[in-house]
Amino acid sequence: MSAFFKLLARNRLALAGLIVMGAVVLLALLTPLLPLANPDVTDLGNRFKPPLSEGALLGTDHLGRDLLSRLMWGTRLSLAVGFAAAIIAATLGAAIGIIAGFYGGRTDNVIMRGVDMLMAFPYILLALAIVAALGPGLLNALIAVAAVNIPFFARNIRGITVGIAHKEFVDAARLCGMTDTRIIVGEVLPNVIPVIVIAMSTTVGWMILETAGLSFLGLGSQPPQADLGSMLGEARSALITNPHTSIVPGAMILVIVMAINLLGDGVRDALDPRLKSGALSRPMPTTRVERGAVPAPKRNALLSVQGLETQFHVKNRIYRAVGGVDLTVEPGECLGLIGESGSGKSVTALSIMGLVASPPGVITGGAVYYKGEDLIGAPYEQLRSLRGRRVAYIFQDPLATLHPLYTVGDQLIEAIRAHHPTPRAEARARAIELLKSVRIPNADQRIDSYPHEMSGGMRQRVGIAMALANDPEVIIADEPTTALDVTVQAQILSLLDDLRRDRGLAIIFITHDFGVVAQLCDRVAVMYAGRIVEEGPTKAILNRPAHPYTAKLMACVPELGQGRRELAAIPGLPPVVDALPQGCAFADRCHKVQDECRIGDIGLRDLPTGTRVRCIAPETTVSEAAL
Ligand code: ADP
Ligand code: MG
């Protein structure tokens, strides 16, 4: 609850609305206690006194009644009727919507067609018809306003309920033998209440206006009792000669409705669960950059990442997801990036093209040189023209990255045309060619399939085809085979291997599987807690892992045909990246830990094997490696 108020308070306008509305409601509640003149006592000798007159702060109306007093009592009445109408409409509408949505089928059909019929009438006409049938009066106006708003709530809530009624937790509740009533009250209702509150907060203002409208026409409150609408109606004839009699109630209606609407918007934003996680601010098109000195390009690599630091700033915590990473790839080369999950591999990969969502992501240091050009902090248009055209991504879960409602062909064509405006037919031919190049059988037919009609391996190939669509020079593959079985994985790996040989592609291959690295990569970089701890040619590292972490990681991999060997698991857990320890982040899990490991920053050291390691007591000692 306090989180809700915090979110609400962050929205300045909503806060202003809340304060104004609070003051108005408080005044309305206190009205009977205030020393006000009787609002209904006429005094024809003192008609149309202007505001700030003796004994009448806001003046008097055409019958000499005190306007301040009438305003306060009128506000009280208008608010009461508006809120009552909103609560009645919300309760009945939600009940109807939940029943229709939950039971579905014929119940749904009958109820919703009835609601549709009500909705087919113009709003105010329907309210007028209801009041005409029931006779004028405030209570009847309330009924009319509530009634015309029921369909709105019913429709809204039905839509939400239909979605919820088929969720697994409702099925689970059915499986434990709960009655429908209990399911509705216990499972469905809590999920729709936020929606009801949101719909109410955004319609109360509207209902107050509608009630005022009916009263203005003389169909609501009856004299001498006045609400804001009837005050306006009575003042109409003196609008020109004595405008203050209209302005006073008019301004009050304006203030109330505006405050309610601002507050309602704020409540909606604060209650929306998707917006709670800080997504209230939309992510920027590229990652935010706040860095000091920019490292100069070291050598002329195709893509070179230097000292990259990416952090997540969440509230007042700083998560150092990537803490100074150096990587390079050359054309035709495959670099493996390996590490436990959470070690910062994905964030590194996404930082290269500025794809880390900001907020909360911030690139706080380093540079990414693509053909000598720094991409960090590059203008959005420049990054956009490189994304997918020069540097393409393949992601882990192809079902999540493909759009479910378009055929894979459409999506491939879109990928092609995003960078090369080609006629559709030509793009389609190219798409078929791409599908063939990733060895999808029957490519000319499969192109019209939807993602759900394909198997996981097929979809992953579509993902690869999409990455190849614009003939990129670098492909960054983020665990593309983790979700696949080994046979499909082997096919995909050999496909990528062929592609890099044929096209001279540079590949950064992210994985947590040493087997995959051995098969595909020329060089490998091992990541731990956001830093590279060991880097070098795959063979050298596989033969003689130098960092204790690498060695342990490899000991976790079972080998076929090696007899029974005890599989090691690395004890402990990686450190949390918002509280990294001093010195080596692996120290707590390392069997060779010494006191020096926990002091200062440990740099990458060159070993004679051609690898580099961030360890003061590597597994392979210098002399041993020299042998
Ligand atoms: P992986 O190596 O498994 O790909 P990631 O690069 O996805 O790991 O994540 C690296 C670290 O960044 C993790 O510790 C994760 O908790 C943190 N992280 C990732 N995204 C966010 C985020 N939006 N907010 C805070 N921390 C994040
Ligand atoms: Mg990842």
Side-chain angles (χ1 to χ4, degrees):
M1 207 60 197
S2 73
F4 166 75
F5 280 111
K6 262 189 208 147
L7 265 178
L8 193 65
R10 232 196 285 166
N11 183 339
R12 290 286 151 78
L13 286 173
L15 189 64
L18 180 67
I19 292 170
V20 172
M21 213 40 226
V24 172
V25 169
L26 191 70
L27 278 178
L29 289 177
L30 292 180
T31 301
L33 305 177
L34 298 177
L36 292 167
N38 186 329
D40 300 332
V41 171
T42 57
D43 176 5
L44 291 176
N46 283 322
R47 298 176 65 211
F48 293 129
K49 270 181 136 182
L52 303 178
S53 330
E54 173 84 40
L57 196 59
L58 292 179
T60 57
D61 70 357
H62 64 293
L63 295 177
R65 294 174 294 195
D66 180 38
L67 266 182
L68 176 64
S69 166
R70 283 181 75 70
L71 178 76
M72 301 287 280
W73 285 95
T75 305
R76 197 174 145 86
L77 204 57
S78 284
L79 284 182
V81 174
F83 280 117
I87 289 172
I88 294 172
T91 313
L92 292 181
I96 292 174
I98 289 179
I99 289 171
F102 185 77
Y103 289 102
R106 184 173 295 170
T107 320
D108 185 24
N109 245 326
V110 170
I111 294 180
M112 287 333 276
R113 292 307 78 76
V115 166
D116 286 346
M117 259 154 61
L118 278 182
M119 279 189 126
F121 286 101
Y123 228 48
I124 216 69
L125 207 63
L126 187 60
L128 284 176
I130 295 174
V131 183
L134 297 177
L138 199 55
L139 191 64
N140 294 344
L142 189 156
I143 294 172
V145 171
V148 297
N149 280 291
I150 286 177
F152 166 77
F153 283 95
R155 274 228 150 270
N156 254 340
I157 302 300
R158 176 200 169 261
I160 308 282
T161 311
V162 168
I164 293 171
H166 298 287
K167 284 266 166 69
E168 288 77 0
F169 65 88
V170 174
D171 291 342
R174 281 214 179 88
L175 283 178
C176 13
M178 281 197 201
T179 58
D180 285 351
T181 325
R182 271 191 68 186
I183 296 179
I184 289 180
V185 174
E187 314 287 331
V188 178
L189 195 60
N191 283 291
V192 294
I193 278 183
V195 185
I196 301 176
V197 173
I198 289 167
M200 241 172 88
S201 65
T202 45
T203 45
V204 170
W206 183 231
M207 292 197 211
I208 290 178
L209 274 184
E210 282 169 12
T211 327
L214 288 177
S215 290
F216 179 82
L217 297 175
L219 299 171
S221 71
Q222 299 299 311
Q225 189 193 40
D227 70 355
L228 295 173
S230 60
M231 281 176 77
L232 263 183
E234 288 169 2
R236 192 174 33 169
S237 49
L239 183 62
I240 307 295
T241 48
N242 288 289
H244 70 276
T245 50
S246 308
I247 289 173
V248 167
M252 188 50 125
I253 293 180
L254 180 78
V255 167
I256 291 178
V257 173
M258 207 131 109
I260 289 186
N261 284 352
L262 289 178
L263 179 62
D265 279 354
V267 169
R268 185 194 55 208
D269 287 354
L271 275 184
D272 192 327
R274 281 164 305 175
L275 302 174
K276 246 184 223 160
S277 55
L280 203 56
S281 36
R282 259 172 234 127
M284 314 198 305
T286 63
T287 312
R288 195 150 64 89
V289 177
E290 273 174 19
R291 58 177 177 171
V294 179
K298 265 195 213 121
R299 80 196 148 85
N300 256 346
L302 175 65
L303 182 76
S304 129
V305 177
Q306 289 183 6
L308 178 73
E309 287 174 27
T310 306
Q311 306 181 339
F312 293 97
H313 294 184
V314 183
K315 290 193 188 138
N316 35 25
R317 281 170 178 251
I318 293 180
Y319 295 84
R320 294 188 170 75
V322 179
V325 163
D326 299 281
L327 297 171
T328 50
V329 259
E330 301 292 350
E333 187 184 37
C334 177
L335 170 73
L337 192 56
I338 192 165
E340 277 172 286
S341 75
S343 53
K345 308 179 299 286
S346 298
V347 176
T348 305
L350 293 173
S351 300
I352 292 175
M353 278 285 130
L355 288 170
V356 178
S358 281
V362 188
I363 293 180
T364 49
V368 173
Y369 289 103
Y370 170 75
K371 294 188 171 167
E373 230 179 306
D374 190 8
L375 298 183
I376 303 287
Y380 169 65
E381 260 315 307
Q382 186 188 346
L383 281 179
R384 196 192 66 81
S385 81
L386 290 176
R387 286 177 185 173
R389 190 169 66 92
R390 289 283 156 254
V391 180
Y393 283 84
I394 305 172
F395 291 105
Q396 178 176 355
D397 182 0
L399 194 55
T401 41
L402 291 173
H403 195 301
L405 299 183
Y406 290 103
T407 63
V408 294
D410 284 338
Q411 300 183 55
L412 272 168
I413 292 170
E414 190 184 20
I416 296 168
R417 301 217 294 183
H419 289 292
H420 302 281
T422 34
R424 226 188 131 74
E426 207 174 295
R428 189 183 158 88
R430 168 108 180 95
I432 293 176
E433 205 181 293
L434 279 168
L435 288 180
K436 280 188 185 144
S437 77
V438 293
R439 305 204 200 111
I440 289 190
N442 285 336
D444 2 16
Q445 271 127 57
R446 296 304 278 187
I447 188 168
D448 293 318
S449 308
Y450 287 92
H452 69 267
E453 295 171 330
M454 303 184 125
S455 66
M458 287 287 172
R459 284 197 293 260
Q460 194 52 283
R461 283 166 208 231
V462 173
I464 297 175
M466 213 175 262
L468 295 174
N470 293 294
D471 237 334
E473 290 172 70
V474 183
I475 284 197
I476 299 174
D478 192 350
E479 312 210 22
T481 56
T482 307
L484 305 177
D485 61 65
V486 275
T487 46
V488 180
Q489 170 173 320
Q491 289 172 4
I492 301 257
L493 291 183
S494 81
L495 179 69
L496 280 173
D497 203 35
D498 291 350
L499 286 170
R500 90 179 154 112
R501 285 182 212 289
D502 298 348
R503 303 188 182 209
L505 264 176
I507 301 180
I508 297 182
F509 196 95
I510 298 175
T511 177
H512 53 241
D513 184 346
F514 260 110
V516 173
V517 168
Q519 232 176 317
L520 187 67
C521 301
D522 308 304
R523 275 188 311 119
V524 56
V526 184
M527 242 182 129
Y528 187 77
R531 308 193 78 176
I532 306 281
V533 294
E534 182 165 6
E535 199 238 303
T538 307
K539 253 205 190 115
I541 289 189
L542 287 185
N543 288 341
R544 284 175 180 275
H547 199 286
Y549 175 62
T550 319
K552 294 225 166 164
L553 210 53
M554 283 170 56
C556 298
V557 182
E559 285 169 82
L560 281 181
Q562 293 290 314
R564 280 169 179 247
R565 170 167 74 85
E566 197 180 331
L567 279 184
I570 309 180
L573 289 171
V576 190
V577 287
D578 66 332
L580 285 178
Q582 277 268 324
C584 177
F586 188 62
D588 284 341
R589 303 167 78 186
C590 184
H591 65 287
K592 296 174 89 175
V593 58
Q594 314 167 5
D595 287 343
E596 295 92 272
C597 293
R598 302 185 193 274
I599 311 167
D601 187 50
I602 297 164
L604 273 173
R605 291 199 298 160
D606 284 308
L607 291 183
T609 44
T611 65
R612 300 198 302 154
V613 64
R614 193 185 294 282
C615 181
I616 53 175
E619 298 275 354
T620 319
T621 59
V622 175
S623 54
E624 194 186 323
L627 293 174

